[in-house]
Amino acid sequence: MIRSVKGMRDILPPSSAAWNHVEAAARRVFHRFNYQEIRTPILEETALFVRGVGEETDIVSKEMYTFEDRDGSSLTMRPENTASVLRAYIEHRLDQQPGLQKLYYIGPMFRRERPQKGRYRQFYQIGAEAIGSDSPAIDAEVIELVVGLLTEVGLSDFTLLINSVGSKQSRARYNEALREQLKELAPKMCTDCRRRAETNPLRVLDCKVPEDQPIIDRLPSILDYLDDADREHFREVREFLDERGIAYEVKPRLVRGLDYYARTTFEITHGALGAQNAILGGGRYDGLAELLGSKVPAPGIGFSIGEDRLVMTTENQIEQPSLGVYIAPMGEAALRHCAVLASEIRRLDLSVEVGTERKLKRMLELANKLRARYTLIVGDNEIVTQSYALKDMSSGDQQTLTKQALLDHLARAQ
Ligand code: HAM
């Protein structure tokens, strides 16, 4: 038997209904905030992520699905979508469009991580990017959007964590301070940390090795290295959130595992998720567009929700779609007649299933299992009299109706 690839899974019914529910809710919320959909390719030039996400990040250094194409070029299956959206923004000169570019996406991402509950090698993100402004008001609006989206989907009891990683200059000073301290501390840490202490000390804060955590706790806080403009920006973001009544916790260790962040970073966690408790992550990435070759600055901020994790926390609250009408044809002539009748009922936007079993008893059992709202039994007699026995499966009531009365009844039952 051929099975699906490790860390990649099928999403089957009834679970797929929960995925659709989440995506429909997300699209509604994006519309209210005036975001429009962007679809970017799964494959990009490897250089996009190496430059955009950063060579020293876990994503680029060990998790990307990268391969050589037949013409020798190096391609990568997107591990995330912010770099791709910025690439599209630059390539199509979206800076020349009026106003901010507010773009959302829903789709699969690929990272070769160790699979576990809530962590897959093909996973799905629902994300958004607001490009073209460095105003803290946009940061607060993006956070308001994502909190609204989680609420719309039915999630509660989540925690919003925020931080500022400062501008490039502030971060460079912080990196130096870390490097200095790590000279003494790094030899006691894991091999990844020892390397990062030299190459990109900020990434030491991403370390998940339990033994390293007490050492990491002793390192300086990035908030003490912000310059005046960064500090003011962060103060305003918090003020805007307070005014909106959005609760948050400031978490100075939240530097996030991608190199493009500048100033605001945030994450939302949910207790029910266990070890992989981050339902989403996001932040500002001023400077990323220039890094990817843009001639004009394009400051931006966005987030990506882990859709697999969001579905996991809300799945059991979602009502499964049920079948509208199960038609049980008795005999060959009835089967043909029912096909036509079914198409008339489907025009009412009801879901209809026409039975193929020979025995009526089997068909009625099946109608029950499929949780049909109505069952319609059609035999030779019904065809001749053009009247039908409609059974309401929840009340057990049965009535005989002419075709028009049947269609009117079903239309009202919607
Ligand atoms: P990220 O933190 O790498 O950020 O991923 C965002 C979310 O995707 C995570 O919080 C998690 O819920 C989900 N996720 C990540 N990896 C996996 C996995 N292997 N399996 C299941 N879920 C996963 C980004 O991707 C940035 N592009 C976010 C962003 C957008 N920043 C600015 N704009």
Side-chain angles (χ1 to χ4, degrees), residues 59 79-82 105 111 113 118-121 123-125 128-129 256 258 260-261 267 278-283 285 301-309:
I59 296 177
E80 65 104 48
N81 209 22
T82 308
Y105 49 85
R111 296 183 194 173
E113 295 190 76
R119 191 162 73 191
Y120 310 97
R121 291 181 172 180
F123 61 99
Y124 293 78
Q125 285 187 342
E129 313 293 344
R256 311 247 320 114
L258 301 95
Y260 51 59
Y261 289 116
E267 257 177 36
I279 229 159
L280 66 92
Y285 41 79
I301 177 161
F303 64 82
S304 310
I305 300 174
E307 192 179 355
D308 304 71
R309 297 180 190 180

Side-chain angles (χ1 to χ4, degrees), residues 132-326:
S133 166
D134 63 4
S135 162
I138 301 298
D139 301 39
E141 193 186 83
V142 164
I143 294 175
E144 179 190 352
L145 186 168
V146 80
V147 167
L149 201 163
L150 298 185
T151 310
E152 179 98 358
V153 169
L155 196 73
S156 52
D157 299 334
F158 49 80
T159 309
L160 168 64
L161 309 168
I162 63 168
N163 190 28
S164 173
V165 296
S167 60
K168 208 167 156 195
Q169 294 74 16
S170 309
R171 227 167 29 261
R173 283 190 290 122
Y174 179 60
N175 251 324
E176 268 329 296
L178 283 181
R179 201 187 300 274
E180 201 48 46
Q181 290 236 339
L182 285 167
K183 272 189 190 147
E184 203 183 306
L185 298 170
K188 299 180 198 132
M189 301 179 83
C190 69
T191 41
D192 276 348
C193 280
R194 282 196 297 247
R195 196 191 66 244
R196 290 163 175 159
E198 301 281 324
T199 53
N200 190 349
L202 195 68
R203 294 274 72 91
V204 168
L205 303 188
D206 300 334
C207 175
K208 301 279 180 321
V209 175
E211 293 76 31
D212 287 357
Q213 300 311 308
I215 302 177
I216 293 172
D217 285 341
R218 276 164 35 211
L219 294 171
S221 160
I222 196 162
L223 292 178
D224 296 330
Y225 289 80
L226 300 186
D227 62 26
D228 290 345
D230 292 342
R231 208 168 293 138
E232 179 58 17
H233 193 275
F234 193 39
R235 190 185 61 75
E236 287 189 61
V237 173
R238 292 193 316 255
E239 240 172 53
F240 284 129
L241 291 177
D242 293 338
E243 280 165 20
R244 286 168 161 88
I246 296 174
Y248 57 84
E249 252 174 60
V250 175
K251 198 175 169 222
R253 296 272 170 253
L254 186 72
V255 294
R256 311 247 320 114
L258 301 95
D259 278 353
Y260 51 59
Y261 289 116
R263 293 191 164 166
T264 314
T265 54
F266 57 95
E267 257 177 36
I268 290 186
T269 58
H270 193 275
L273 282 170
Q276 301 303 316
N277 68 352
I279 229 159
L280 66 92
R284 188 161 266 296
Y285 41 79
D286 304 353
L288 174 59
E290 292 94 312
L291 193 69
L292 296 177
S294 176
K295 302 269 186 306
V296 288
I301 177 161
F303 64 82
S304 310
I305 300 174
E307 192 179 355
D308 304 71
R309 297 180 190 180
L310 181 57
V311 169
M312 225 156 82
T313 53
T314 53
E315 201 162 12
N316 48 13
Q317 303 164 20
I318 287 155
E319 208 180 302
Q320 290 303 323
S322 61
L323 176 61
V325 185
Y326 185 92

Side-chain angles (χ1 to χ4, degrees), residues 8 27-28 46 55 73 78 94 131 154 221 265 279 305 365-366 398:
M8 308 199 176
R27 287 179 199 278
R28 283 197 301 277
T46 303
E55 201 148 12
S73 55
R78 62 182 190 189
L94 298 185
I131 310 169
S221 160
T265 54
I279 229 159
I305 300 174
E365 279 168 10
L366 205 55
Q398 188 160 322

Side-chain angles (χ1 to χ4, degrees), residues 44-47 66-69 71-76:
E44 296 276 1
E45 276 184 38
T46 303
T66 296
F67 62 93
E68 194 184 289
D69 200 1
D71 63 2
S73 55
S74 178
L75 300 181
T76 292

